[in-house]
Amino acid sequence: MRDPEPRPSRRSLWWLLGPPVLFCVAVVPANRVEPWVLGMPFLVFWLLLATLLSPVCVWLAARGDPVWKAHRR
Amino acid sequence: MSIAIVALFLVAACVLGIRAARGQDKVDLAAWSVGGRSLGLLMTLVLMAGETYTTFSYLGAAGWSYTHGVSALYVVAYLSIGMAASYVVGPLLWSYAHRHGLHNITDIAAHRFGAPWLGVVLTVAATVFLLPYVQLQITGMGTVVASVSYGAVGLGLSYLVAFAVSEVFVLASGLRGSAWVSVLKDVTVVVTLAVVFVFVPLHFFGGYGAMFAQIGAERAAWLTMPGPGSSTYGLAWFLSTALLNGAVYSVIPTTVAGFLGAASPQTLRRNALLLPLYQVLLFVPVILGLAATLVVPGLKDSNLALFEMLGTALPEWLFGLVGAAGALSAIVPMAVFMLAIGTMWSRSVLGLHERTRGRQRQLAQVVTLVAGGLALGMTYVFPNALVRLSVISYEGLAQLLPLVVIALVWRRMSLSGGVAGLVAGLLVVVVLMATGNDPWGGVNAGAIGLVLNLLVAAAVSLARPGSAPDGRLAAPEPVPARSGTEEDHR
């Protein structure tokens, strides 16, 4: 548009696909009771891990995002 | 004793809500509907956490896992996916609405296409899909209060209290008041869930290991999908629902109210980063629902699973606190649902005429009251009608996605394309639902509808492309690449 300069790339936003991959792709092989991890059946453990990794994915997206960096105080 | 604690918290909620109105602009609609677009990170977080953690989380999630097993965790899956997506979608909607002084999805879409009638259509559709949620909160509150008072307070009275309390603070102070009541709610919810999560395994099973071991030995079918004795909620359903609801999350009018209330797009990005952690809490009712299959087996109403189990064992005061958390989980989301309905009707329907334009705030408040009253009345008269409709609420709201979000980034999307897609998507959802085919072949009907919706919208738009001027598209966010001359977005 009226931006004369090339816009900095926001390629790191691909990390936002992390949660759908964790929950919707990886869950297929994770749909099992064995092995038990930390006292939890495997599927419950996996979904808990995915829940904890989701913010990490968003953080990775933000970390490389020029828009995020520009507004960071 | 326990019911007195619930009453105390409800009074506190009213006081907090009314106090939040002090110093607020009394005329401006935005001050009420989107908190003056000034909520900071903490208030935005608390409000949006408060919106996602409804009575469904307390009663429904435990009831779901009690009946169908761990597929109940689809809630966590879609919220995590939706919140990640909100890193992009939240700032997009915020910037567009901020630039043009818009208040929710209906006036955003109407503005994008320069078509006020589209706002009317979307308002009617969104209301039909949101009212059931208001009613679900009312009935949820009834269940909580009736169980916590050990049956002393009847359902009818509890329904009325839920309506009255949420109307009091939402009419007084709008979104900002809801955020303040969310503070009380979130603290109560976090504390009680933590306590209960320690108490139940120790009291009934002697520890976590023992609890899971017994569940594994006697309820193994509950621990994977599709769960016990049914194939309805299998993997395909889990995947399609997580993706669909995750995509819809950002256009649910209550989520959008939260987005637009934020002080800056950066607040929303920080929110997208922190909010997913809150979802860990949802594991508590799901796991406790599994435990309840052993403690209180054979319940007729699975929504009672959590409270039936706790009622037999917790000391009264603690049971009262759990009840207070449950009651607050009903009234906060309910208030924001009603506020969103009021805002949409005022902005996109009733306040369009030049003679009513100056009264948008009063109109929004009147509709907020009427919508709540309607849901309350339906609860008494046709308790099942709206609940049946709520099954397709998310699937129906999903069909608004192209017109509200994709339109802002796709210049050539035409009004006829968007509307054709909407009609196609809604038809698929309604027909599959009415013929008992949801899920269809294991896949969520809303997801099938949305795919068709997108295909139709794309095909029609490509055949006869529209062309939106720059002002009707989301502007790329300014990136001050090198410090210096660029204007700051805030």
Side-chain angles (χ1 to χ4, degrees):
Chain A
M1 287 175 215
R2 57 199 164 79
D3 243 17
E5 299 172 43
R7 305 185 52 76
S9 151
R10 298 185 76 183
R11 229 177 319 164
S12 70
L13 295 190
W14 287 105
W15 277 110
L16 296 177
L17 291 179
V21 171
L22 288 170
F23 281 105
C24 298
V25 179
V27 79
V28 177
N31 186 23
R32 46 173 53 233
V33 178
E34 308 282 345
W36 292 64
V37 186
L38 302 172
M40 286 177 271
F42 192 79
L43 180 59
V44 174
F45 163 76
W46 174 258
L47 292 173
L48 183 60
L49 187 68
T51 309
L52 294 172
L53 287 178
S54 286
V56 176
C57 293
V58 181
W59 177 74
L60 285 168
R63 210 179 57 136
D65 178 13
V67 176
W68 169 276
K69 283 190 254 182
H71 291 280
R72 204 174 45 193
R73 270 164 295 180
Chain B
M1 171 73 177
S2 49
I3 196 65
I5 293 175
V6 177
L8 189 71
F9 272 80
L10 292 178
V11 172
C14 290
V15 172
L16 265 179
I18 292 170
R19 276 178 60 98
R22 290 197 311 188
Q24 203 184 68
D25 188 319
K26 296 280 184 289
V27 186
D28 182 27
L29 174 64
W32 181 81
S33 67
V34 285
R37 308 184 200 273
S38 65
L39 302 181
L41 177 64
L42 190 62
M43 286 308 246
T44 305
L45 262 179
V46 166
L47 174 69
M48 298 194 70
E51 285 174 8
T52 53
Y53 214 92
T54 67
T55 49
F56 174 80
S57 322
Y58 251 87
L59 308 171
W64 188 297
S65 74
Y66 182 88
T67 315
H68 305 293
V70 291
S71 58
L73 289 170
Y74 82 92
V75 187
V76 178
Y78 93 74
L79 286 171
S80 298
I81 292 169
M83 283 161 188
S86 80
Y87 182 94
V88 175
V89 183
L92 185 107
L93 293 174
W94 187 95
S95 303
Y96 190 83
H98 204 252
R99 199 148 36 104
H100 302 293
L102 305 170
H103 295 242
N104 213 310
I105 55 168
T106 54
D107 57 351
I108 289 177
H111 181 272
R112 159 65 175 84
F113 290 103
W117 65 265
L118 180 64
V120 177
V121 171
L122 295 188
T123 301
V124 172
T127 306
V128 169
F129 295 126
L130 284 179
L131 266 186
Y133 277 110
V134 178
Q135 196 202 348
L136 278 183
Q137 305 309 316
I138 294 179
T139 48
M141 171 92 163
T143 309
V144 169
V145 172
S147 12
V148 169
S149 66
Y150 304 101
V153 179
L155 289 175
L157 181 59
S158 323
Y159 295 160
L160 189 65
V161 171
F163 166 76
V165 173
S166 52
E167 291 284 2
V168 162
F169 72 80
V170 80
L171 289 177
S173 55
L175 195 70
R176 180 169 288 277
S178 307
W180 274 104
V181 181
S182 285
V183 175
L184 177 68
K185 179 205 149 183
D186 287 346
V187 171
T188 320
V189 166
V190 171
V191 170
T192 52
L193 281 182
V195 171
V196 165
F197 198 50
V198 174
F199 178 85
V200 168
L202 283 180
H203 180 83
F204 291 106
F205 301 91
Y208 287 94
M211 176 177 77
F212 268 122
Q214 198 183 340
I215 295 171
E218 298 177 31
R219 296 287 188 266
W222 272 252
L223 295 177
T224 51
M225 291 176 274
S230 90
S231 54
T232 314
Y233 301 112
L235 269 181
W237 176 85
F238 183 90
L239 309 185
S240 54
T241 305
L243 283 177
L244 175 82
N245 289 12
V248 190
Y249 172 74
S250 293
V251 293
I252 300 287
T254 50
T255 313
V256 174
F259 285 162
L260 303 190
S264 78
Q266 187 72 354
T267 306
L268 295 175
R269 285 186 284 267
R270 289 173 199 273
N271 189 54
L273 181 56
L274 295 170
L275 201 50
L277 283 174
Y278 196 84
Q279 307 318 315
V280 174
L281 274 185
L282 280 165
F283 281 80
V284 175
V286 171
I287 291 173
L288 294 184
L290 296 176
T293 59
L294 297 166
V295 179
V296 284
L299 290 178
K300 271 207 191 90
D301 181 358
S302 66
N303 284 334
L304 290 172
L306 188 60
F307 279 79
E308 285 287 321
M309 176 168 69
L310 296 176
T312 57
L314 287 184
E316 267 199 41
W317 63 272
L318 187 53
F319 193 43
L321 270 184
V322 175
L328 290 172
S329 300
I331 60 171
V332 172
M334 179 178 159
V336 187
F337 280 125
M338 295 187 305
L339 171 137
I341 294 173
T343 306
M344 289 189 290
W345 277 91
S346 161
R347 288 284 303 170
S348 299
V349 183
L350 304 175
L352 285 180
H353 198 273
E354 58 189 65
R355 284 168 63 185
T356 53
R357 198 164 293 150
R359 299 184 158 271
Q360 286 189 347
R361 173 147 165 176
Q362 289 93 319
L363 288 170
Q365 287 168 319
V366 168
V367 176
T368 299
L369 191 60
V370 171
L374 199 62
L376 182 68
M378 293 285 278
T379 314
Y380 289 126
V381 186
F382 311 106
N384 294 320
L386 281 179
V387 174
R388 260 186 229 124
L389 197 57
S390 78
V391 176
I392 59 164
S393 283
Y394 251 75
E395 304 178 3
L397 285 169
Q399 311 309 326
L400 307 186
L401 188 73
L403 278 167
V404 176
V405 176
I406 295 174
L408 295 184
V409 291
W410 189 26
R411 183 184 301 272
R412 298 174 69 190
M413 179 160 168
S414 65
L415 179 56
S416 46
V419 172
L422 174 71
V423 171
L426 285 178
L427 267 179
V428 168
V429 170
V430 170
V431 167
L432 286 180
M433 164 76 188
T435 55
N437 280 307
D438 180 19
W440 191 56
V443 177
N444 182 313
I448 299 168
L450 184 58
V451 169
L452 193 74
N453 181 341
L454 289 168
L455 288 177
V456 169
V460 176
S461 297
L462 287 175
R464 301 191 56 184
S467 178
D470 280 352
R472 301 289 167 96
L473 291 170
E477 289 207 55
V479 184
R482 283 166 289 282
S483 62
T485 54
E486 289 86 351
E487 83 267 39
D488 191 342
H489 203 256
R490 286 169 287 177

